[in-house]
Amino acid sequence: MLYFLYVMIVIAFLDTFAQLPIIAPFALSLGANSLLIGLIIGMYSFANMGGNIIAGVWIDKFGRKKILVIGLFFVSICLLGYTMVTTPLQLLAIRTIHGIGGGLLVPAAFAFLGDHSRTTTRGKTMAFSGACVGIAAIIGPAFGAIITNSFGIDWVFYIISILFFVSALLVSIILKENYSPRSEKEKFSMASINKLLRLPPLVNAYIGAFSLMLTMGILAYMLPLKIEAADQSVALSGILLSTFGIVAILVFVLPTNQVFDRVRRERLMIIGMLFISIALIILSSFNLVGVLFIGMFFYGIGFALIFPSVTALVIDHSDKNERGRAFGLFYAFFSLGVVAGSFFIGALNVLPNQGLLIGAICIGLLASLIYRRITAGDISRSNE
């Protein structure tokens, strides 16, 4: 069951990553200006936040399997919609609908995964889920670019649509729902959402998720510009971004993944955030290709320490009947980080090195915030 869920996580993220290299050129070919292209790119993540929150409530109310199957079928249909658009505004509309539908998938898959994880190996389980995201991040962009160049952009959407349709059928047949929704209406009130937004360990997980994707948005925006300004090949930025993914996957799958069940989650989060801060400082300070790879190596370690820690925190501190909402909120902050990172650094209109340094400062400040929160919590518990 776990292995099948891991495959579903790869597929769920493959959709997003496969579109990274093709959406901007696609929008440009339809006549979109630079502002509209940015809006089209960001709209998916923005709409994803709404889908995540809606999914969280529905997952706990109707069950994990139903929402996962509905999400897979819905996204399959949305992907076909891309092949019919003829104007930038139509593309913006389909991106919005796609983002909402896509928001159903990941919280449902991770709630399922949380239900099947064992307490003693929960960190390791979530490390493997992180490896699945890393695999999708490496395969997706290459797949999207190769298929577009070989057969045309429509075939990217056709192939992934078929993949999602088949996946929906497999989920409906193979996965067994092990969650019985509670019928009490108050379980799905705003009070239950507020509880999840105030529980200190969950708040730390939300901050960690936001921080991780905030820096990812800044990195994806600034690194290609830095490489271009240095008169290096555009392909180098892709190789550098793949490097951090490969490093993260190695940390996830090698015996190093035992650390996720032996060290406190928040401690690993803070260490990971410091690794990312150091990585961004290196990337902002040097132009030598070899040093840039060292920076991405540090970034990969940081990513690998943060992702399993924050997802395991969500499982640790949410009951089974509220886990869907907890993961819905978690991935809403995840999506918010992507939007905030690219928008914030774009609004500042800074040079690449400055943007990367700002990213380092931001995640450093957020790491100190989490440290103060857990220190205050430890002192409070010791005084009780």
Side-chain angles (χ1 to χ4, degrees):
M1 191 70 71
L2 280 176
Y3 289 122
F4 182 74
L5 284 169
Y6 289 143
V7 173
M8 288 301 103
I9 290 171
V10 173
I11 291 171
F13 280 95
L14 186 68
D15 169 37
T16 303
F17 287 115
Q19 294 188 47
L20 286 179
I22 63 174
I23 287 298
F26 185 31
L28 186 63
S29 71
L30 295 175
N33 57 34
S34 58
L35 178 62
L36 191 52
I37 291 173
L39 185 60
I40 288 169
I41 292 171
M43 183 53 69
Y44 178 86
S45 294
F46 186 76
N48 220 230
M49 289 188 288
N52 292 149
I53 295 171
I54 294 169
V57 175
W58 286 357
I59 290 164
D60 290 332
K61 192 169 186 178
F62 303 113
R64 285 75 159 115
K65 182 175 179 177
K66 288 181 181 178
I67 303 306
L68 185 56
V69 171
I70 290 170
L72 286 166
F73 275 126
F74 188 86
V75 171
S76 178
I77 295 170
C78 286
L79 288 166
L80 294 177
Y82 282 90
T83 66
M84 303 176 189
V85 301
T86 57
T87 69
L89 290 180
Q90 289 175 357
L91 181 58
L92 179 64
I94 197 67
R95 289 284 285 174
T96 304
I97 298 169
H98 182 195
I100 295 172
L104 303 179
L105 297 176
V106 178
F110 273 83
F112 237 132
L113 194 62
D115 293 344
H116 286 279
S117 65
R118 297 177 182 176
T119 304
T120 55
T121 58
R122 189 164 285 162
K124 185 176 179 180
T125 298
M126 302 319 291
F128 282 129
S129 74
C132 294
V133 178
I135 290 169
I138 294 171
I139 295 174
F143 168 82
I146 292 170
I147 296 298
T148 299
N149 290 334
S150 302
F151 304 104
I153 193 169
D154 285 355
W155 277 99
V156 175
F157 303 115
Y158 287 140
I159 293 171
I160 301 179
S161 176
I162 293 170
L163 179 63
F164 270 63
F165 184 82
V166 173
S167 298
L169 293 178
L170 291 175
V171 168
S172 63
I173 295 169
I174 296 174
L175 278 186
K176 294 181 180 179
E177 180 69 82
N178 67 338
Y179 170 75
S180 299
R182 297 186 180 182
S183 59
E184 298 94 326
K185 291 183 179 179
E186 62 268 18
K187 295 294 180 183
F188 308 102
S189 65
M190 281 304 300
S192 65
I193 299 292
N194 289 335
K195 173 197 168 186
L196 296 172
L197 286 171
R198 292 179 180 177
L199 195 64
L202 289 181
V203 173
N204 291 336
Y206 301 151
I207 295 172
F210 174 82
S211 303
L212 184 61
M213 299 317 292
L214 177 78
T215 59
M216 183 68 74
I218 293 173
L219 184 68
Y221 194 120
M222 293 283 105
L223 186 60
L225 294 180
K226 177 182 175 73
I227 297 301
E228 183 181 5
D231 292 327
Q232 296 283 353
S233 169
V234 177
L236 178 60
S237 61
I239 296 171
L240 285 167
L241 290 170
S242 295
T243 298
F244 102 79
I246 293 169
V247 172
I249 289 173
L250 290 174
V251 175
F252 290 144
V253 301
L254 291 175
T256 49
N257 60 28
Q258 296 177 17
V259 72
F260 299 111
D261 292 306
R262 295 181 178 178
V263 180
R264 182 175 176 176
R265 320 282 195 211
E266 287 95 341
R267 188 182 299 276
L268 284 178
M269 283 171 52
I270 293 170
I271 294 172
M273 293 168 80
L274 292 177
F275 263 101
I276 288 181
S277 183
I278 292 169
L280 293 175
I281 290 172
I282 291 172
L283 293 171
S284 69
S285 304
F286 299 94
N287 291 323
L288 290 174
V289 173
V291 180
L292 295 181
F293 274 104
I294 293 173
M296 295 309 296
F297 178 83
F298 275 89
Y299 193 96
I301 294 175
F303 184 96
L305 293 177
I306 295 172
F307 186 83
S309 302
V310 292
T311 49
L313 265 178
V314 176
I315 301 173
D316 289 342
H317 297 281
S318 60
D319 296 331
K320 198 171 183 179
N321 67 296
E322 61 185 10
R323 190 160 290 150
R325 280 163 289 173
F327 269 115
L329 290 169
F330 174 83
Y331 277 102
F333 280 96
F334 207 75
S335 299
L336 179 62
V338 178
V339 176
S342 56
F343 178 80
F344 170 67
I345 212 68
L348 290 178
N349 192 28
V350 293
L351 295 173
N353 286 341
Q354 294 171 333
L356 292 166
L357 184 59
I358 289 170
I361 294 170
C362 287
I363 197 166
L365 291 173
L366 289 167
S368 67
L369 172 63
I370 294 177
Y371 178 77
R372 287 198 298 269
R373 285 176 54 81
I374 63 173
T375 302
D378 290 342
I379 293 173
S380 176
R381 283 191 292 271
S382 66
N383 290 335
E384 290 178 356

